């Protein structure tokens, strides 16, 4: 067959994402058509319909981008973590949409969504370590070259600057790890409190579990995200050319949308300043609004992930040379075994979490 009609592996990889874009555009036209014809007389279904469109196509775009990475695993240690982060959008979007459709199941489904947050934050931290060559390479660089200390952030700016050293990295790892452990534990207690009717739904009610679980979760995520911020500030020079800042903003945005936005909505609801919506009852307006907003926001996050967690820098042509020579300095890319071209094998490797298990062992050994 002439070369003109041959489709390279990298071209097929690009087809994944643009197929998702095409589906989203066609779906948008169908969405407008159905919205104008169907919901003129049934306005109460508007949030479910709009949220469903955004959730479905956010999932489509994310799945195609995941396939891009899995179709060419040139850097398994980094790309498996990227895939885990990309799974946030389908999980968040679909759970939020189902919660709109079935409000009675929302409180339990949202626990799954929120629990994945802690896992994804640690996956991002591990990704940053991978982009630096691994934790051992980072330790060697920090021991060979003394880094300037970084000042504390407000309101702790009066404290002495933090020295960037292997010990600093160890503390950051533990701070991120505690959140990955704490969040599932808090989720478990929430389920127990809900089953016994002691959870409550008002943020300022100190006699119910909602206030205390939110407080513990707030402290844990604050420690984790502060450590992530310090770690990024102290080591970002080691990630030059890796779009680390964009990746950091994407993760920070999802954290805000999934947690802080919910807290703000709950505070407004408790203060009685939240507008009334005909779509939800007064008891479900806060949860319904949060789920509806997440469905819409995840569609934008899916597009942002394309540019911040794109697969271009890992793309390798059939001749073994990088498709993006600027990323690799024009040098030939390393040989990729055929096994790394298998989407199913790469997905199994990602889900096996051998790297995460090794990291947990290192943390427990205080490495």
């Amino acid at each position: 067959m002439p070369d003109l009609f041959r489709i390279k592996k990298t071209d097929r990889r690009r087809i994944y994402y643009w197929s998702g874009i095409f589906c989203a555009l066609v779906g948008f036209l169908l969405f407008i058509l159905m919205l104008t014809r169907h919901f003129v007389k049934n306005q109460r279904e508007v949030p479910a319909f709009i949220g469903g469109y955004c959730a479905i196509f956010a999932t489509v775009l994310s799945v195609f981008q995941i396939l891009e990475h899995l179709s060419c695993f040139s850097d398994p240690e980094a790309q498996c973590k990227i895939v885990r982060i990309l799974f946030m959008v389908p999980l968040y979007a679909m759970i939020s949409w189902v919660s709109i459709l079935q409000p009675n199941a929302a409180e339990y489904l949202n626990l799954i969504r929120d629990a994945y947050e802690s896992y994804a934050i640690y996956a991002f931290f591990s990704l940053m370590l991978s982009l630096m060559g691994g934790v051992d390479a980072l330790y060697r660089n920090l021991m060979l070259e003394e880094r300037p200390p970084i000042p504390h952030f407000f309101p702790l700016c009066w404290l002495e600057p933090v020295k960037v050293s292997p010990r600093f990295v160890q503390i950051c790892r533990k701070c991120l790890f505690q959140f990955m452990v704490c969040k599932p534990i808090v989720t478990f207690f929430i389920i127990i409190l809900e089953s016994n009717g002691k959870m409550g739904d008002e943020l300022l009610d100190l006699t119910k579990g909602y206030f205390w679980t939110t407080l513990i979760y707030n402290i844990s995520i604050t420690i984790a995200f502060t450590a992530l911020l310090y770690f990024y500030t102290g080591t970002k020079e080691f990630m030059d050319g890796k779009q680390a800042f964009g990746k950091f903003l994407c993760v920070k945005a999802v954290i805000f949308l999934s947690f802080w936005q919910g807290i703000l909505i709950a505070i407004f609801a408790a203060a009685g300043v939240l507008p009334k919506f005909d779509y939800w009852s007064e008891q479900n307006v806060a949860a319904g609004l949060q789920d509806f907003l997440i469905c819409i926001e995840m569609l934008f996050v899916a597009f942002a992930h394309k540019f911040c967690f794109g697969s271009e820098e890992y793309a390798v042509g059939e001749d073994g040379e990088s498709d993006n020579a600027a990323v690799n300095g024009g040098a030939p890319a390393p040989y990729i075994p055929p096994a790394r071209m298998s989407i199913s094998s790469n997905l199994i490797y990602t889900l096996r979490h051998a790297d995460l298990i090794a990291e947990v062992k290192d943390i427990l050994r205080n490495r």
Side-chain angles (χ1 to χ4, degrees):
M1 183 180 294
D3 291 340
L4 179 63
F5 297 99
R6 294 180 62 194
I7 300 178
K8 295 170 62 179
K9 292 184 179 67
T10 51
D11 293 329
R12 292 199 297 268
R13 178 185 50 78
R14 293 189 183 100
I15 287 175
Y16 286 139
Y17 187 76
W18 291 111
S19 298
I21 294 290
F22 176 77
C23 291
L25 293 177
V26 173
F28 180 73
L29 297 178
L30 295 175
F31 164 75
I32 296 297
L33 181 63
M34 294 178 65
L35 185 65
T36 54
R37 290 189 175 185
H38 178 65
F39 289 113
V40 173
K41 300 180 180 180
N42 198 2
Q43 294 292 323
R44 293 185 64 86
E45 295 185 15
V46 169
F49 196 77
I50 296 178
Y53 165 79
C54 295
I56 290 173
F57 288 104
T59 300
V60 169
L61 293 175
S62 296
V63 168
F64 276 107
Q65 187 177 357
I66 290 170
L67 289 175
E68 284 189 13
H69 282 280
L70 294 178
S71 63
C72 187
F73 238 35
S74 61
D75 188 355
E77 297 306 315
Q79 287 179 275
C80 70
K81 299 171 179 62
I82 292 176
V83 169
R84 295 166 191 168
I85 295 171
L86 295 178
F87 268 117
M88 292 181 71
V89 168
L91 187 71
Y92 278 46
M94 296 307 295
I95 286 182
S96 297
W97 182 41
V98 174
S99 297
I100 295 175
L101 298 175
Q102 300 292 334
N104 295 332
E107 57 186 6
Y108 298 104
L109 292 174
N110 290 340
L111 293 177
I112 300 174
R113 181 187 67 193
D114 296 340
Y116 194 85
E117 178 186 38
S118 60
Y119 166 79
I121 291 175
Y122 191 84
F124 176 68
F125 175 76
S126 299
L127 173 62
M128 289 196 293
L129 290 176
S130 298
L131 296 177
M132 299 176 197
V135 65
D136 293 332
L138 178 60
Y139 284 170
R140 286 194 298 270
N141 290 331
L142 294 178
M143 288 187 291
L144 292 174
E145 180 183 355
E146 185 174 354
R147 308 289 302 171
I150 56 175
H152 283 277
F153 300 105
F154 180 83
L156 303 176
C157 48
W158 53 274
L159 295 175
E160 292 185 6
V162 179
K163 183 180 179 180
V164 182
S165 63
R167 178 61 179 167
F168 164 79
V169 177
Q170 290 176 354
I171 294 175
C172 290
R173 291 181 79 182
K174 291 179 180 178
C175 289
L176 271 297
F177 181 72
Q178 63 83 25
F179 179 57
M180 189 173 65
V181 174
C182 180
K183 178 55 183 176
I185 294 176
V186 172
T187 301
F188 174 75
F189 278 103
I190 289 176
I191 294 175
I192 294 177
L193 292 172
E194 287 282 3
S195 62
N196 292 303
K198 298 181 179 180
M199 184 60 188
D201 55 4
E202 294 185 7
L203 181 62
L204 302 181
D205 187 356
L206 303 185
T207 63
K208 299 294 184 179
Y210 184 63
F211 171 82
W212 297 106
T213 53
T214 302
L215 177 64
I216 295 172
Y217 177 48
N218 192 9
I219 293 173
S220 181
I221 193 175
T222 300
I223 293 173
F225 194 74
T226 301
L228 190 65
L229 185 60
Y230 275 95
F231 179 78
Y232 170 78
T233 304
T235 61
K236 59 184 177 181
E237 288 80 6
F238 295 109
M239 294 181 286
D240 286 342
K242 301 294 185 178
Q243 294 184 321
F245 184 67
K247 293 179 174 66
F248 180 80
L249 287 182
C250 276
V251 173
K252 183 178 180 180
V254 174
I255 293 171
F256 173 80
L257 298 177
S258 64
F259 178 68
W260 297 108
Q261 177 178 267
I263 293 295
L264 290 175
I265 292 176
I267 292 175
F268 290 155
V273 297
L274 196 66
K276 293 184 179 180
F277 298 91
D278 296 334
Y279 311 125
W280 304 289
S281 64
E282 186 175 351
Q283 294 78 13
N284 297 329
V285 63
L289 181 60
Q290 167 72 343
D291 292 326
F292 177 62
L293 290 177
I294 287 180
C295 287
I296 297 175
E297 292 156 353
M298 286 303 106
L299 182 58
F300 292 97
V301 172
F303 280 101
H305 278 178
K306 171 60 180 176
F307 299 99
C308 297
F309 293 98
S311 62
E312 287 77 13
E313 61 184 290
Y314 304 103
V316 176
E318 290 182 337
D319 54 0
E321 294 185 357
S322 172
D323 286 350
N324 191 348
V327 174
N328 297 310
Y335 169 71
I336 300 181
R340 290 196 201 164
M341 298 289 187
S342 170
I343 293 178
S344 58
S345 298
N346 295 334
L347 180 60
I348 292 173
Y349 174 84
T350 300
L351 299 178
R352 191 175 294 150
H353 291 88
D355 57 322
L356 180 59
I357 295 174
E359 289 187 24
V360 171
K361 291 180 179 179
D362 285 346
I363 294 173
L364 296 177
R365 293 170 184 168
N366 199 29
R367 287 191 65 235

